[in-house]
Amino acid sequence: MQNKIVTLDEFIIRTEKENPKSTGSFSRLLRDIGIAAKIVNREVNKAGLVNILGVEGSTNTTGDAVQKLDIFANEKFIETLSYSGEVCGIASEENQDIIQVNNGSAVNGQYVVVMDPLDGSSNIDVNVSVGTIFGIYKRKSPVDGPCEMEDFLQKGTEMVAAGYVLYGTSTLLVYAAGQGVNGFTLDPSIGEFCLSHRNIKMPAAGNYYSVNQGYYLKFDLEMRRYIDHCSDLNYRLRYIGSMVSDIHRIMFQGGIFLYPNTRKYPKGKLRLLYECYPMAYIIEQAGGSALTCKLERIMDVEIHSLHQTSSIAMGSGDMVRDMKEFVERYGAVIQ
Ligand code: P6P
């Protein structure tokens, strides 16, 4: 007998029922993220057809050229989350400041969402997978007022859920909310995300490493030595330049993803709040680990600004530990 299809909505409702204290608010928020993902997916799949390719002309907070699909994805997630009634504010890679969400009722949403609406967007024009990254926090500011910066400048350990959407050969939504990681594949014939990867556990080791080898000479000595070590072990280099895709592979095949600090990005390139924290949350929930290249646990890194960056080394636990031993042996680790 064919296994019963479990849709994302059903899964979320079942999970909610298992939590007696649940009010349903978090469930509604997760389902709204699924809706936004389906809307964005529809446009990502058409990108080459409806002339929404091409650089919008503006640049985002880190100087990346902004693609029209970036703007579309950002607008759709903001629009959907704003209508959800569960969110009081949003922080996005595409917006310099926090976005206030006031649904008109006296008591505003109790959550804030941080997101990179379309990560890896430079790959859009060449039909390479791109992704959405999101994280969810409970607000800290009074519920009857507007959201505040303090609602967003919370460490990764305060995150209540995180996930990503991978718009690739198929479209997957992967998320964790404290009880493990589950993946849902979009079935276009019914327009539903269906449970396809239950309780994902990352291999403890693998033979892939993922780093932009082009920056090798710009990495600190200890990173270069570790990358040489990966090469000595005949690990295979896989680097797509789309963080969600590179991490997704590691979730299933094992490996380590590195974006070390360089001269151009002395504090690292990837954004702590809406790229590193959410992906580290998922990696840890799947049994892996995530450190900065100075060996601090990503989830514990203090955050002081929305678009703060960090170096990162994340993936299979045994491989991150191996990298740690290299840095301790060769690097001047800042205590
Ligand atoms: P580089 C995409 O622009 C991104 O933010 C991540 O998705 C990706 O891992 C990284 O930057 C790629 O950066 O410098 O290797 O092109």
Side-chain angles (χ1 to χ4, degrees):
M1 185 176 90
Q2 184 187 8
N3 291 336
K4 180 180 178 323
I5 291 176
V6 178
T7 65
L8 174 64
D9 285 8
E10 284 176 283
F11 185 87
I12 291 169
I13 291 165
R14 276 189 201 167
T15 309
E16 176 194 323
K17 286 181 178 153
E18 289 163 8
N19 177 357
K21 286 185 268 178
S22 175
T23 62
S25 176
F26 181 69
S27 300
R28 282 188 294 276
L29 170 51
L30 278 177
R31 283 154 57 193
D32 289 329
I33 288 175
I35 290 167
K38 285 191 263 190
I39 295 169
V40 171
N41 174 67
R42 184 184 58 202
E43 296 308 312
V44 166
N45 285 341
K46 289 189 301 186
L49 304 175
V50 293
N51 189 31
I52 57 176
L53 288 179
V55 170
E56 181 67 11
S58 59
T59 58
N60 68 17
T61 53
T62 51
D64 290 343
V66 176
Q67 306 269 350
K68 289 178 184 174
L69 214 46
D70 274 352
I71 292 178
F72 176 87
N74 196 43
E75 287 171 357
K76 286 306 161 195
F77 272 95
I78 292 170
E79 189 180 300
T80 309
L81 292 172
S82 299
Y83 291 153
S84 78
E86 311 305 342
V87 171
C88 64
I90 300 165
S92 168
E93 182 199 37
E94 301 301 342
N95 297 75
Q96 190 59 37
D97 298 314
I98 57 178
I99 300 155
Q100 291 287 346
V101 174
N102 185 334
N103 54 21
S105 65
V107 177
N108 218 334
Q110 57 179 314
Y111 295 101
V112 296
V113 174
V114 299
M115 66 176 183
D116 183 351
L118 208 61
D119 178 74
S121 53
S122 56
N123 292 306
I124 293 169
D125 285 357
V126 292
N127 205 25
V128 170
S129 301
V130 292
T132 295
I133 305 172
F134 65 89
I136 303 172
Y137 290 98
K138 289 206 85 166
R139 72 182 301 177
K140 295 172 72 175
S141 55
V143 291
D144 56 357
C147 69
E148 307 283 351
M149 188 57 81
E150 66 169 331
D151 295 322
F152 297 89
L153 300 186
Q154 300 186 60
K155 295 199 304 188
T157 46
E158 301 303 308
M159 215 165 249
V160 296
Y164 60 82
V165 184
L166 179 57
Y167 309 99
T169 45
S170 58
T171 298
L172 261 77
L173 188 150
V174 175
Y175 87 91
Q179 285 91 29
V181 185
N182 291 283
F184 301 82
T185 300
L186 183 63
D187 179 341
S189 68
I190 57 172
E192 292 286 359
F193 279 107
C194 302
L195 183 61
S196 51
H197 301 81
R198 188 188 292 270
N199 194 23
I200 300 168
K201 288 299 175 198
M202 171 187 312
N207 54 15
Y208 288 109
Y209 70 110
S210 186
V211 66
N212 187 330
Q213 194 79 19
Y215 300 154
Y216 176 83
L217 294 176
K218 300 169 179 70
F219 295 148
D220 292 342
L221 168 66
E222 64 274 16
M223 276 296 115
R224 281 182 271 136
R225 291 283 178 86
Y226 174 68
I227 291 168
D228 294 342
H229 174 62
C230 291
S231 189
D232 291 342
L233 293 175
N234 296 316
Y235 289 165
R236 287 173 276 180
L237 175 60
R238 292 288 187 279
Y239 191 74
I240 297 173
S242 174
M243 185 185 195
V244 173
S245 307
D246 283 319
I247 299 289
H248 187 70
R249 179 199 320 102
I250 289 170
M251 290 285 283
F252 292 93
Q253 297 178 350
I256 188 168
F257 174 86
L258 303 159
Y259 205 115
N261 44 290
T262 62
R263 283 187 224 120
K264 181 180 178 183
Y265 299 112
K267 294 192 181 303
K269 172 187 180 185
L270 300 181
R271 275 69 78 185
L272 180 61
L273 181 59
Y274 43 77
E275 290 178 329
C276 298
Y277 280 160
M279 298 310 273
Y281 182 101
I282 293 165
I283 288 264
E284 290 193 354
Q285 286 275 309
S289 57
L291 305 178
T292 68
C293 294
K294 300 300 180 197
L295 307 187
E296 189 179 1
R297 183 186 173 216
I298 287 284
M299 299 293 270
D300 287 331
V301 173
E302 295 286 346
I303 185 161
H304 307 290
S305 65
L306 283 184
H307 303 289
Q308 180 176 328
T309 63
S310 175
S311 63
I312 193 158
M314 57 163 69
S316 296
D318 293 357
M319 297 178 80
V320 174
R321 186 173 57 248
D322 196 28
M323 181 279 294
K324 182 170 183 289
E325 286 166 7
F326 258 77
V327 173
E328 285 168 342
R329 194 179 312 148
Y330 292 108
V333 177
I334 301 165
Q335 296 300 344

